Each structure stands twice: as C-alpha cells, then as structure tokens.
Amino acid sequence: MISLEIQREYERIKSLFEGVDEKQIALVDGSIIEAARLRVELNRLNEIVKVTGLVAINPNNPAQQRELPVSKMITKVRANYLSYISRLSALLGKNVSDEDDELDEFE
C-alpha cells in the first residue's frame, strides 16, 4: 500500500505520458511508482535541508565543518529520481522537459 502523497505523485507522473499506449504504460508501471516514491522522498529531504542545511559549522571555529548525512542522501535520491524520469521518458517516447524545470528547486 502506498501513501496518498505517493499516489498523487504517481498520478502526476503518469499524466505526463498521456496519450502513450496503455500497454507501454503498464509495462513500466513499477518504475512510475518508484519515481513517485523517490520524488516524495526528495521533497522530504529538501524540507530537512531547509531546517538543517547541508553542512554543520562549528560556531566557535567556522573553518571546522562537517557534511551532514542528508547532503549525501539528497544527492543519491536526486540522481536516482532523474535516472528514472529520464528512462521513462526514453521508453515512452515523450519529452518531459517541464519536469526538469521543477527540479530547479532542488539545485
């Protein structure tokens, strides 16, 4: 069972491929669900980053810094999400350049 948030994202991504043969959509349905999960996770990680930042800085010595675990996770999840969207776009023969515009918020 998937969350309502993932279900909404699944429907949003699936709608990007409107007009594509239903058999092709059915073939990659699992990948669409996984892309939706990744996007929801990316949004959650982005919320954490807004609060914590990507790097912890020692207030007594700003030269001492440490990368927070969220910075590594957000990079991995972003790369996986982009990979899924790119593959879906290639497999289903649709140009989803609008999707790339939405990713600017994660840069």
Side-chain angles (χ1 to χ4, degrees), residues 5-76:
E5 194 175 8
I6 293 171
Q7 182 64 37
R8 277 192 220 127
E9 182 60 19
Y10 166 79
E11 293 298 332
R12 187 190 73 80
I13 292 171
K14 195 171 175 181
S15 75
L16 294 173
F17 299 106
E18 201 169 282
V20 173
D21 181 62
E22 285 301 314
K23 287 183 181 180
Q24 285 183 299
I25 295 288
L27 184 65
V28 296
D29 191 65
S31 293
I32 295 171
I33 290 171
E34 190 59 25
R37 284 186 184 120
L38 288 168
R39 177 64 186 259
V40 169
E41 182 65 20
L42 195 54
N43 288 341
R44 289 177 183 152
L45 290 170
N46 196 45
E47 290 302 314
I48 293 169
V49 168
K50 286 179 185 177
V51 174
T52 66
L54 296 172
V55 177
I57 301 170
N58 182 337
N60 299 323
N61 183 357
Q64 289 182 332
Q65 303 168 9
R66 133 180 104 79
E67 184 179 20
L68 297 176
V70 71
S71 68
K72 292 178 184 178
M73 282 304 301
I74 202 167
T75 300
K76 288 179 183 179

Side-chain angles (χ1 to χ4, degrees), residues 70-94:
V70 71
S71 68
K72 292 178 184 178
M73 282 304 301
I74 202 167
T75 300
K76 288 179 183 179
V77 173
R78 182 186 301 130
N80 286 336
Y81 175 72
L82 290 172
S83 177
Y84 270 91
I85 293 299
S86 177
R87 287 180 184 160
L88 286 170
S89 179
L91 286 170
L92 298 175
K94 291 286 247 181

